[in-house]
Structures are given as structure tokens and as C-alpha cells.
Amino acid sequence: MKQAIQKLFKNETFTSTLLILFTTIFTYGISIPKLGYYYDDWYLLWSGQIRGAESIISLFSTDRPFMGVVYSYVYRLLGDSIINWHVYALLWRFIGGMAFFWILRLLWPKEKYITALMTVLFIVYPGFLSQPDANTKQNHLYGFGTALLSIALMLQAMKTNSRIWKIVFSILSLILTANYLFIYEYMIGFEGTRLLLIGYVLFQSGVNKFRPLAIESIKRFLPYATVTAAFLYWRIFIFDSSRNATDASRLAEDYLSNLRYMSLRLILETTKDFLDTSIFAWFVKPYQSLAGATYSSLGNVLLIALLVIALVLFYNSLFKKWWGSEYNEVDAPRLTKELLVIGIPAIIFAVVPVILSGRQVDLNDAYKSYGLHPISGVVLFVTAILLMLKPGFRKIALLALIGISVTTQALNADYWAQFWTLHRNTWWQLSWRAPDIQDETLIMAYTPEGFRTQQDYEIWGPVNLIYNPEPAKVPAITAEVLTYDTAFNVLKHETIGNRVRDIRVRRQFGNLLLISVPSTSSCMHVIDGSLPVYAENEPLLTQLIGENSHIDRIITSGTSPAPSPSIFGSEPEHDWCYYYQKASLARQQGNWKEVSNLYDETVSLHLSPSDKSEIIPFIEGLVNDNRYDDALVLYNSELRGLIKIRFPLCKAFDKNPSYNPAPGYDYEKIYTILCNT
């Protein structure tokens, strides 16, 4: 048994595969338990659960219909479980890495050591930071992985001597070519790389004169060109896309109407994105991530980076022991030239279609995915630069790049984990606070800088999954992102229709329920427009529309719903925020004794708020439960001197001297404590 295991590990391909696998797991898999759902995941989850898996097909019928079909079947397989999507995305990250490894070994079969480490660089590359958004980005990883597999199968067909296997590999390659093109049209630049690699393999086989090389390359490329041409014909002349970025005819009109500007933009943005993906990605985001990291998180991620570096060093020692020298310095100049000749065009082929469609690589936006498909060309280019270094510096530089990249990916996962924790806690707290919410309510949720929602479905998706899990055609509760423009809609009490793909949403801004999470240490606050209470650091935008928030949109009777653990995770610990939400609900119900009892529980459990504005419901409850002295003590210990909290509250009291939200509300005593003490 021992000899069999040793023999297995002496197989260099097997050991390299383990290196790639464990690099993938350490870099991305360790963080999976703390990650969740984000951004576009929410309308997909809502549609899949409320309208059924088949509805996902129609969701994407307006821009990428084939992706909708694949997405629908993947949803049927994975369901709503968070971990399923993250493991599935991790699997495609590994498959993509293995496809790249396969390509490298076919192109440079003698360069085993360097191709293994190139694949490690491919896996950890810090220019693509959307891996934690697993539900949405598995589409990108699937499209990318199948594109690489199509090239690997094509190269294998060229290298094999068996006619049967040539046919099998070629057919599979053509199928996967059509697959990735119909998934993500902007990855079409891989076809330029494909033609380049065909020419390179023919050159390796001895076809070294330009004319016969070009003729034979085009001949070998013709089947793939036919598939690509068929796709382009369908995309341009048959399919009518409703999105500008995926509508080829509209893009053509834009270029023809302003050819000089668009041509200049193409040149400049291609140059910029080439530098962003090949050079700056290794340093800009890593610097930003490290600069903002806490000492505790930095210690954890450095440990992960050291684990990956230890893996590489272990592989290095095994290679020296069993398989010979790492590099052939005599061949280094030749290999460097080949890597540059293939790598530079591969990057350009990857970024040009993105630029042509009016988009671009953005290193500062971890949600964007346009840094994914240039990775293969980037790794070739960077490896060529490393080979230009002296042997002594080469390994140091390589290990430094790997360490920096893994650290960046781990810190990036920490950010996504914090994002998920804040939003997940927000929805759990809403379920504690509101037993039910009226249909046609419009919810605006304002969260801290760096953790804000971008689209309305990031709010109505989770809210309806909690409160309206039964089948429906449209969401019963709607939402909107709070901006100065949408604040104006609130002030005008407008009703505006909207569409999220094929989901119609009718937003009534007069039915506003405003939710605020002023800081990462605050609880979720439901703003009561008749007596708005704001945190010290409450944004002015929230205060601008706070008085328009209708707390009576919350139905206070009944039992609070329990969010699905498969979507929202297990229920958070009942800390201060739990008691604050329950006290706020009891306040709205006029159950002052319950508020008073909840306060006593927080005292016995030694719980206290970071956000002092959360004390106010307890002061109201204590006063109305005839515990005036306790309320005064609480005020003096927590709120005295905090004018920013008290000023808008007392201003609302002065505006409405007869304020009485529920029976037994002692306006005079509460006003005396909060405004005259």
C-alpha cells in the first residue's frame, strides 16, 4: 500500500493536479462557510423559488437565452442552499485551472515545472475578485471553463495520432465552442487565441514558412470559424436583445454614428485594460486590500498565503528529488519569446470585445467579471517577465506574486463575508421586528458605505422570500434603492412601473417603509415617520425622507416568519439587536409592559447598544410602565449630551404636541426626559 501511494505521488502529473486542487481549496474553499448571497442572486432566487425553476429561462430570454436554460437546470440541481452554489463555483474554478494546465502541457510538454506553477498563478490571479458571488458568477466560471476546455480538446485533437480520437475531441471542442459563445458573447476573443494556438502548434510540428503556415492554420480553424459565424449571424440578424451592451446592431450604430470617438476610445481603453489586467492587477487591488485590513484579518489571510506558498515549496522539493531540474536555462529565452508572442495577443483578444460592447475592466469593482477571461493570456505574459529575471530572483518574485495574490483573494473574501453578515442580519432583524408587511409596501433600505445595495431586487427579493413565499407572478412588496433621485420620487408620492428582466414591479412611493442601518455596529432601524429617531451618524439622505416612512405598513399581529435557513443561514444570536427589535415591535403595539420587561432582560444579560439612539424605545417603555426613575437613570447614563440624536426627535415632538402612537403614551414625561432634561 505504501509503495502504491509513493508510486502515485511519483507521477508528476498527479502531484501537479494535487497542487492545483489544494491551491484552489486554500485560496477560495476555506472562506465558503462565511459567504452568502449577493446582488443579482436575489432576483434569481426569488424567481426560482416563487415562480419555479422554469421561470429562470424566461428571465434571460432578453439577452442570453441559452444561459437561462443552463442556469435553470443548475438551479434545479443546486436549489436554494448557499453552500451548494459556492461549492459548484469552486468546482468550476478548479475545472478552469485544470483546462489551462492541460493546454500548457500540450503546448510545452517538456516544461513540467513551470507549467504547474503557471497554473497556480492562474488560480490565484487577483484581477478577478467575484468568486464569492458564487450564484451569479458560476455562469462566468462555467463559460470561461468550457471555453478553455474547447481549446484544450482542439489541441489534443491536433496532437493525437488516433483518427477516432481526433474526431471525438474535435466534436467535443466544437460543441463547447458553441456553448461558451452562447453563454457569454464577450468571450469571443478566445477564437483569436484559438487561431494563434493552431498556428503555434503547426509551427512546432515543422510548418515554419509563413504562407503554408497561414493556409494550414485557417484550414484547421475553419470549423470553429463556422460555429463562430453562425453564432454572430444569430446574434446580429436574428436575435433581438433588449440590453444595449448585448445588442450587436445598436452597438454597430453607435460606432458608425461616432466613428472617430469610438475608435479612439477602443484604442485607449484597450491599452488601459491591457495594463490593468497584466500589470496593475497584481499590485493595485492587493495594495488597497492590505491598506484597509485589520490586524486580526491580516493574520488569518497571511496564514492561508503561507499554506499555499508551503505547497509550492513542497512541490518544488519533490520536483528536484524525483523529476530533475526546475528550469532549462538554455531554453529560457526561447520560451520567453513564445510566451510573449502568445500572451500579449491573448490579452488583447480578451479585452477588445469587452471594450467594443461599451464596457471595461474595473479593478476597483469587485463585482465586475471582465478580469476573468484575460487570465490565461496574463499568466503567459507575466511568466515571460519572470523568466527574464536572474534565476535567484525568479523564485522569490514568483513566490511573492503567489503570496500577494492569495492574500488579496482571502482579504477580498473577508469583505464579501462582512457584506453578507450585515445584510443577512438586517433581514433576520426585520423578521424579528415585523410579524408581517402589507402588500404594495415600498421598502427602502439604506446601509453603510461599502455595503450598499445597487438594485431594488436586492431588497424586495429577500423581503418577499421571507413574507410572501407562496407562488406569485410579481413581488407583493416592492423596493427601491435610496438615492437623491429616488428621494424626490418619495417626496412627490409617485407611482412608477419598473421591470427586472421579465418581472414587472409597480412601485408606490407613497407607501414607503424606510429601513436604515446607519453603521456596521448599529441594529436595523425601521423609521417611524411620525416620530423619527436617527442615529448620530444617520445620513442626511435618510433624514430627508424619514417623515414619509409609514410604520403602519407593518402588521403587528401574528407570529413573525422564520427566514429560510437554506437562504438566510441559521438564526443569529439573540444579542442586543434582538431585544431592540422586539422592544420596537412592542412599542408599536403599545405593549409598554413588554418593553419594560425586555429592558430588564438586557440588563440581566449585560447587553448594551453601540448606537445610543436604540435606547429611546426602552425609555418610552419604562416611562409608560410607570418606571420614570429608571427611565431617567437610563437617559443620564446613555443619552445625556447626545444632541444629534435628541434634536430631530424633539423637533418632531414640538411639531406634534399631541403625539400618542398607542394607549398609555405619556407624552409629557417622555418629552421632559428627552427634551427638557
Side-chain angles (χ1 to χ4, degrees), residues 422-423 425-427 429-430 433 443-449 451-452 459 482 512-528 532-546 549 577 580-581 611 613-614:
L422 187 141
H423 284 262
N425 287 346
T426 296
W427 305 128
Q429 289 181 46
L430 181 62
R433 172 65 180 84
I443 296 179
M444 285 182 163
Y446 203 68
T447 48
E449 182 70 34
F451 302 95
R452 299 219 171 115
I459 303 169
L482 179 55
L512 173 67
L513 183 65
L514 180 61
I515 292 172
S516 174
V517 184
S519 70
T520 55
S521 59
S522 295
C523 302
M524 184 274 298
H525 298 174
V526 176
I527 305 300
D528 179 359
V533 176
Y534 300 116
E536 276 195 291
N537 56 348
E538 192 78 57
L540 291 176
L541 184 56
T542 306
Q543 298 184 45
L544 174 66
I545 65 166
S549 178
C577 288
Y580 167 71
Q581 302 303 344
D611 184 341
S613 69
E614 294 159 12

Side-chain angles (χ1 to χ4, degrees), residues 236-299:
I236 297 171
F237 299 107
I238 299 176
F239 180 69
D240 183 17
S241 175
S242 63
R243 288 182 60 191
N244 289 336
T246 57
D247 189 336
S249 59
R250 292 181 189 177
L251 289 170
E253 290 176 7
D254 290 341
Y255 276 88
L256 292 174
S257 62
N258 198 355
L259 185 58
R260 180 180 298 177
Y261 168 78
M262 296 300 283
S263 299
L264 182 62
R265 177 188 176 278
L266 177 63
I267 295 170
L268 293 178
E269 290 296 335
T270 298
T271 303
K272 174 181 172 297
D273 282 3
F274 177 89
L275 295 173
D276 280 347
T277 54
S278 62
I279 304 295
F280 300 142
W282 302 94
F283 305 106
V284 174
K285 195 61 183 181
Y287 171 78
Q288 293 172 346
S289 299
L290 288 166
T294 61
Y295 291 140
S296 59
S297 62
L298 196 58

Side-chain angles (χ1 to χ4, degrees), residues 233-492:
Y233 179 82
W234 170 82
R235 191 81 202 186
I236 297 171
F237 299 107
I238 299 176
F239 180 69
D240 183 17
S241 175
S242 63
R243 288 182 60 191
N244 289 336
T246 57
D247 189 336
S249 59
R250 292 181 189 177
L251 289 170
E253 290 176 7
D254 290 341
Y255 276 88
L256 292 174
S257 62
N258 198 355
L259 185 58
R260 180 180 298 177
Y261 168 78
M262 296 300 283
S263 299
L264 182 62
R265 177 188 176 278
L266 177 63
I267 295 170
L268 293 178
E269 290 296 335
T270 298
T271 303
K272 174 181 172 297
D273 282 3
F274 177 89
L275 295 173
D276 280 347
T277 54
S278 62
I279 304 295
F280 300 142
W282 302 94
F283 305 106
V284 174
K285 195 61 183 181
Y287 171 78
Q288 293 172 346
S289 299
L290 288 166
T294 61
Y295 291 140
S296 59
S297 62
L298 196 58
N300 293 333
V301 301
L302 287 176
L303 179 60
I304 295 172
L306 288 174
L307 281 172
V308 176
I309 289 174
L311 278 175
V312 172
L313 291 175
F314 181 62
Y315 171 80
N316 179 69
S317 65
L318 290 181
F319 200 95
K320 286 181 177 179
K321 180 179 179 181
W322 288 333
W323 303 301
S325 61
E326 307 162 10
Y327 305 102
N328 185 344
E329 291 300 331
V330 176
D331 289 339
R334 174 193 57 79
L335 182 59
T336 301
K337 184 186 296 184
E338 291 173 354
L339 292 172
L340 288 174
V341 167
I342 298 173
I344 291 175
I347 299 172
I348 296 172
F349 290 147
V351 300
V352 164
V354 176
I355 306 302
L356 283 170
S357 63
R359 295 165 288 191
Q360 63 187 53
V361 176
D362 187 351
L363 296 179
N364 293 315
D365 190 345
Y367 179 68
K368 288 189 176 179
S369 307
Y370 303 126
L372 175 63
H373 64 292
I375 296 179
S376 47
V378 169
V379 170
L380 299 182
F381 176 76
V382 169
T383 304
I385 294 175
L386 290 174
L387 287 173
M388 295 178 189
L389 301 176
K390 293 182 178 179
F393 292 108
R394 191 180 296 158
K395 184 178 293 185
I396 295 173
L398 174 65
L399 293 176
L401 281 181
I402 293 171
I404 288 170
S405 300
V406 175
T407 300
T408 303
Q409 293 289 1
L411 286 172
N412 176 64
D414 278 352
Y415 163 74
W416 285 85
Q418 293 171 42
F419 192 106
W420 170 237
T421 298
L422 187 141
H423 284 262
R424 169 181 172 270
N425 287 346
T426 296
W427 305 128
W428 270 102
Q429 289 181 46
L430 181 62
S431 74
W432 297 336
R433 172 65 180 84
D436 203 354
I437 299 174
Q438 294 183 43
D439 290 353
E440 298 185 349
T441 297
L442 182 136
I443 296 179
M444 285 182 163
Y446 203 68
T447 48
E449 182 70 34
F451 302 95
R452 299 219 171 115
T453 54
Q454 297 180 0
Q455 302 291 340
D456 59 341
Y457 47 75
E458 297 169 50
I459 303 169
W460 62 249
V463 169
N464 282 284
L465 286 170
I466 294 172
Y467 289 99
N468 298 289
E470 62 280 352
K473 292 183 178 180
V474 296
I477 300 169
T478 62
E480 183 53 283
V481 177
L482 179 55
T483 65
Y484 282 101
D485 288 335
T486 57
F488 190 61
N489 298 136
V490 172
L491 297 176
K492 291 174 64 181

